[in-house]
Amino acid sequence: MSDKAVITCALNGVLTDPKQHNVPVTPEEMAREARAAFNAGASIMHIHLRQQAPNKGHLPSWEVGVSKEIQQAIREACPGVIINHTTGTSGPNYQGALDCVRETKPEIAACNAGSLNYLKVKADNTWAWPPMMFDNAVEKVQDYLDVMKVAGTIPEFECFDVGIVRCVGMYRQTGMYSGPLEYNFVMGVASGMPADPELLPILLKLKVPVAHWQVTAIGRAEIWPLHQRAADLGGHLRSGLEDTFYLGDGTKVTSNGQLVEGLAACARRAGRDIASPAEARQIFGVRH
């Protein structure tokens, strides 16, 4: 067990519409929300990029300039903070994501470690959105790993299903990747791993033993027992407006800071302290 819990805040995500939800889009908004999360105990900020033109904030962006502006604003607001950059794309064109990592050199970047049929069914038994494939073929994973190696960026392997957890070990076995390992168990996507605390011990048996891990829990109030179980088992912690809008008592939040406060409480109930940014850098081997 890691004595200190590193908290990551996922500030905004790719699907949430700022007209419907209180998610940050502009560099100023991202910095303000990052500061609230930072003050509550988050050392790492996971960022997605949105288009900056008026009424376009619900659409993703892969402009390097937008990434640089957002990262600079967050770093100025949160001294010593670690940036974790999104790279998630569907389809054959992911050059923009590669460019953002190569040009901005974030300390950490997501590396989606396998493919998933991304599905959800509504109460009336119809699709919530047209069925889609979140495709992450081995060749695509290798492209990301190659760029991250050049940038000095540590990959965080996003695992949406049990088999994807096992794939990460194969990437190590075959020499695709040889650096420090960080797993992110993404739980709660309807067609992926459920947000079930009882699944965690199985995932821990399947990961490479000497590897850090955390949970991304997607859902509403029902996800908080999973966060607590992760804290109890020695995992690092993540939440934010990308993943949920609700606390464990059903309260709907208005800021990332409230969610981070909830994670910090989970860690303390497990008898663990919250890692500072400097301690988080040491734990993960992130450059200073």
Side-chain angles (χ1 to χ4, degrees), residues 220-256:
R220 296 195 175 199
E222 76 279 358
I223 64 176
W224 286 91
L226 176 57
H227 285 309
Q228 187 62 58
R229 186 72 170 135
D232 293 342
L233 291 173
H236 299 292
L237 304 172
R238 164 183 150 154
S239 192
L241 295 176
E242 175 176 4
D243 305 331
T244 189
F245 299 109
Y246 295 91
L247 297 174
D249 63 1
T251 301
K252 189 171 184 179
V253 303
T254 57
S255 171
N256 282 285

Side-chain angles (χ1 to χ4, degrees), residues 10-34 48 50 52 57-59 240-245 252-256 259:
L11 291 169
N12 59 348
V14 68
L15 297 174
T16 43
D17 188 340
K19 291 183 179 178
Q20 298 177 341
H21 302 287
N22 192 35
V23 294
V25 170
T26 68
E28 295 78 15
E29 292 167 349
M30 293 288 279
R32 183 180 67 245
E33 279 294 299
H48 284 253
R50 304 296 190 88
Q52 300 295 302
H58 61 293
L59 298 174
L241 295 176
E242 175 176 4
D243 305 331
T244 189
F245 299 109
K252 189 171 184 179
V253 303
T254 57
S255 171
N256 282 285
L259 295 170

